Amino acid sequence: MADTLLEKALGQTDIGRVAQLEALARIFRRLAVKAYMATDADMKRRDWSKYNVEGMLAGLIDSPTPWDSLLEWQRYAADLDGMPPSKTMRLLLEQAEEIIVRKKLGLL
């Protein structure tokens, strides 16, 4: 569903509608990650409530490419987890979790 929403966003000219479709796609992706995490004991559950502060340290760690190994993505998530919590860190961790789940399912 998230991919369908993003595909529709590409065809839009209204910036507000594009943002709306991208936000919906993000919600669907997070729901899918949460559903998978409930079945995988190896995935770390986080308390997202502490990730509500502004932070600027995200640029210190380069993210792997989507073609890097699952192990590389897991290391990246662990490195991010060691950084001080912030809104930026939450977005990066959510992205890393999504890539890890997609790799575990063989989608990447």
Side-chain angles (χ1 to χ4, degrees), residues 42-94:
D42 293 334
M43 300 253 342
K44 181 179 180 181
R45 279 63 172 176
R46 290 179 179 79
D47 176 18
W48 293 114
S49 64
K50 64 182 179 179
Y51 288 86
N52 61 356
V53 295
E54 296 296 329
M56 300 294 287
L57 298 174
L60 297 176
I61 301 174
D62 290 331
S63 67
T65 68
W67 301 277
D68 284 329
S69 69
L70 173 62
L71 183 60
E72 185 66 32
W73 275 97
Q74 289 171 327
R75 280 192 213 134
Y76 172 66
D79 289 345
L80 288 176
D81 210 25
M83 303 287 287
S86 68
K87 291 178 183 177
T88 305
M89 242 3 102
R90 178 179 178 157
L91 292 173
L92 293 173
L93 278 166
E94 286 177 348

